[in-house]
Amino acid sequence: MYPTDLKYAKSHEWIRIDGDDAVIGISAFAAGKLGDIVFVELPSTDTPLVAGESLGTIESVKAVSDIYSPVSGVVVEINSALEDAPETVNDSPYGDGWLVKVKLDGDIPVDLMDAKAYEEHCSTEE
Amino acid sequence: MTTISNETLRRTPFYENLKASGGKLVDFHGWELPVEFSGIIDEHNTVRTAVGLFDVSHMGEVLIEGPGAMGLVQRLVTNNAAKLSDGQICYTPMCYPDGTIVDDCLVYRYSAIRFLVVINASNVDKDYAWIMEEAKKSGEAPGSVQVTNLSDSYGQLAIQGPAAERVLATLTRTDLSSIAYYHFVDPVEVAGVSTLVSRTGYTGEDGFEIYVPDIDSAKAGKVWNAVMEAGRPHGIKPIGLGARDTLRLEARLMLYGNDIDETTTPIEAGLSWTVKLKKGVEFNGMARMAEQKASGVARRLVGFEMVGKGVPRHGYPLAAADGSPVGQVTSGSFAPFIKKYIGLGYVKPELTEVGTPLFVEIRGRKVEARVVPTPFYSREK
């Protein structure tokens, strides 16, 4: 149900490892709970990120949600297409709706879950 | 109305229909109601381009009858109930003696001795207590006015959108085209159920509000299913509270608790058109209204749209171009049909001219906005 090539945080962000980099996004579970996304606030490139800390916000019509970085590193690319089309996060949360790409600093945290563990985690939050 | 309590939350008679339609239920002022079904943006645009169905049973209804009814209503509200014809409705604030707002409501005039006042769900108990207290103070002979809270016995649906009349017309023998805007007919048989139908709504589109008296779940199911079935060829969808809010904001309709409350007057809120100082009888707040109309106000509600990137929301600070604080956002959102980020807020009168630059403070960052004319959206007539 959740892409198996990704790792997931309890706060519903995912990462895809790409060599020394990781791409970060939010899961379909999170996007579904948020509803129609109308605005995404992302950090600028070269911003350092710390695992567990907020890297920006995602806003739906009704709510503002922090995006927590699952990893530590430095932002190398942001998905600027989301500026004019924030709904892409709803339409394609694992593909075109990616948020930022970071150059990893250190190992990825051990408490990130695989798809199966994440699915179980989501069922406890229903 | 049959309400089955779920511990603390009340349910409307349409609860099963809302659930069956996939409504995402939330706590809305103590009611278990859907914030959305297919999604706020989709629902919003469906109402603007086709037709949508809302359960609005949480609204309140207070009946005011008797020879003293006109006198009481005229004192309670700023608008002129004596100018209404039988079967006509007016939108009006209801003020305290100091001119601040108890609630905004619709006054349905059956006759000079019978009025139905439709009030916000969040204020039902407060308004009823207020009306009862005012009735006691009434100059009319005791017993000349009866006030009845019918909120629990009415269910209410709203069908709104360009196709609303076409859809509802298939369910009644009443000629809906004869019901003019802000008029009503009672009774109107809809899907075999006796109802009151008014051409009113909270969306800025054409449409009707359908009041079902003495409602039970059988009547509710009958009317809901009939409307959804009749609306199917037109693409009807059930609409939740989220879209109800974005629709009314585009149309610059007030939300009590956000844009108007017990600290604001109708003149400050841009509702001067509802204040009939010359109606010939004294009403609550009249002196303050007269003073404000003559000398001006310290703040006025304006509409703005974002120029910079960000979503304005209730409570966010507003600043002038020079950075000085000037007020607060009362309502703000992404507007799905006009595809802009818009809001309302109170500012000093000097800053109300269209084009005036403002700043909205969004999580510590000042984002540029500008004053725009309202309503933000008007339907083609």
Side-chain angles (χ1 to χ4, degrees):
Chain A
M1 189 184 181
Y2 295 102
T4 51
D5 61 324
L6 309 178
K7 289 239 173 278
Y8 301 82
K10 285 200 169 74
S11 47
H12 305 289
E13 294 83 8
W14 56 258
I15 61 165
R16 177 183 294 118
I17 309 289
D18 181 12
D20 293 332
D21 298 336
V23 180
I24 302 172
I26 65 164
S27 71
F29 181 86
K33 286 265 175 229
L34 282 166
D36 293 327
I37 289 163
V38 298
F39 192 77
V40 182
E41 201 173 335
L42 298 174
S44 40
T45 51
D46 299 329
T47 307
L49 299 183
V50 175
E53 288 183 9
S54 173
L55 67 85
T57 55
I58 284 194
E59 301 196 47
S60 65
V61 179
K62 286 271 152 242
V64 182
S65 252
D66 278 296
I67 312 162
Y68 297 99
S69 184
V71 294
S72 296
V74 175
V75 178
V76 295
E77 201 184 334
I78 65 172
N79 186 353
S80 47
L82 297 182
E83 211 176 277
D84 292 324
E87 65 277 8
T88 313
V89 180
N90 294 109
D91 298 337
S92 176
Y94 308 111
D96 291 334
W98 66 276
L99 301 175
V100 297
K101 193 172 193 181
V102 295
K103 187 169 161 61
L104 287 166
D105 179 18
D107 298 329
I108 66 166
V110 295
D111 61 351
L112 293 182
M113 297 172 267
D114 64 16
K116 192 159 178 291
Y118 178 63
E119 192 172 337
E120 277 165 35
H121 171 65
C122 288
S123 65
T124 69
E125 287 204 359
E126 279 295 353
Chain B
M1 145 161 79
T2 321
T3 53
I4 313 143
S5 272
N6 170 28
E7 286 169 285
T8 51
L9 295 183
R10 301 180 66 185
R11 293 173 177 175
T12 75
F14 298 97
Y15 177 80
E16 294 301 330
N17 308 107
L18 303 175
K19 251 184 89 176
S21 300
K24 291 192 179 145
L25 301 166
V26 298
D27 177 356
F28 183 76
H29 295 287
W31 291 91
E32 197 174 345
L33 283 168
V35 63
E36 62 182 359
F37 292 85
S38 56
I40 294 176
I41 293 177
D42 181 48
E43 291 162 42
H44 181 115
N45 291 328
T46 299
V47 171
R48 290 267 179 261
T49 60
V51 55
L53 182 62
F54 303 70
D55 173 10
V56 286
S57 303
H58 53 306
M59 303 288 284
E61 297 82 7
V62 176
L63 186 65
I64 302 178
E65 307 174 276
M70 176 67 82
L72 176 59
V73 171
Q74 285 288 63
R75 197 169 73 256
L76 287 169
V77 306
T78 63
N79 212 331
N80 192 353
K83 263 262 177 90
L84 295 173
S85 51
D86 293 352
Q88 196 176 5
I89 303 159
C90 69
Y91 168 73
T92 180
M94 185 165 56
C95 290
Y96 291 108
D98 71 353
T100 59
I101 302 172
V102 181
D103 202 1
D104 63 341
C105 51
L106 294 189
V107 173
Y108 287 58
R109 173 178 166 153
Y110 280 89
S111 72
I113 60 170
R114 188 161 183 238
F115 296 87
L116 187 70
V117 182
V118 182
I119 55 185
N120 284 300
S122 55
N123 291 328
V124 171
D125 294 342
K126 177 181 90 166
D127 291 1
Y128 178 59
W130 173 255
I131 295 171
M132 287 291 279
E133 200 184 304
E134 288 297 289
K136 285 201 200 97
K137 283 191 217 149
S138 182
E140 286 78 25
S144 74
V145 62
Q146 293 86 49
V147 178
T148 319
N149 185 356
L150 293 172
S151 305
D152 286 355
S153 69
Y154 271 105
Q156 190 188 351
L157 294 177
I159 179 172
Q160 303 277 303
E165 185 175 327
R166 261 172 283 152
V167 172
L168 191 58
T170 66
L171 300 175
T172 181
R173 279 195 300 268
T174 301
D175 174 18
L176 296 176
S177 67
S178 69
I179 306 180
Y181 189 55
Y182 271 68
H183 284 75
F184 71 99
V185 174
D186 182 8
V188 172
E189 204 180 87
V190 173
V193 175
S194 183
T195 73
L196 178 167
V197 171
S198 59
R199 193 185 291 261
T200 48
Y202 193 48
T203 61
E205 294 306 319
D206 185 31
F208 298 88
E209 293 183 302
I210 305 166
Y211 296 76
V212 188
D214 301 311
I215 193 160
D216 55 35
S217 43
K219 285 186 199 174
K222 217 171 162 203
V223 180
W224 176 277
N225 292 329
V227 174
M228 288 301 291
E229 189 54 42
R232 212 144 49 92
H234 299 272
I236 195 170
K237 290 189 181 170
I239 313 295
L241 295 166
R244 183 166 162 80
D245 189 32
T246 50
L247 285 159
R248 70 93 195 167
L249 181 61
E250 277 186 349
R252 200 215 188 267
L253 298 171
M254 302 287 85
L255 175 59
Y256 191 87
N258 272 24
D259 316 301
I260 54 176
D261 61 23
E262 293 181 359
T263 70
T264 64
T265 73
I267 313 295
E268 292 165 3
L271 301 177
S272 289
W273 62 274
T274 67
V275 180
K276 306 289 162 67
L277 290 172
K278 298 204 188 89
K279 70 180 182 180
V281 287
E282 216 178 292
F283 58 86
N284 287 337
M286 187 171 172
R288 180 100 180 271
M289 299 295 103
E291 187 202 310
Q292 287 192 329
K293 270 200 179 180
S295 326
V297 289
R299 57 178 179 163
R300 276 188 43 207
L301 192 67
V302 292
F304 60 86
E305 72 182 33
M306 299 307 294
V307 173
K309 306 226 175 257
V311 184
R313 295 184 190 265
H314 175 74
Y316 287 8
L318 280 171
D322 65 1
S324 55
V326 295
Q328 276 199 348
V329 178
T330 56
S331 292
S333 178
F334 173 64
F337 190 74
I338 60 176
K339 293 193 174 42
K340 294 191 175 185
Y341 299 84
I342 61 174
L344 297 169
Y346 285 96
V347 299
K348 298 183 238 198
E350 311 87 79
L351 299 173
T352 57
E353 206 181 303
V354 167
T356 303
L358 294 172
F359 284 103
V360 180
E361 196 179 300
I362 302 178
R363 293 182 294 282
R365 206 170 38 101
K366 285 194 165 68
V367 186
E368 206 188 323
R370 71 166 154 249
V371 175
V372 294
T374 58
F376 304 93
Y377 161 86
S378 287
R379 72 171 185 270
E380 291 157 27
K381 296 279 179 222

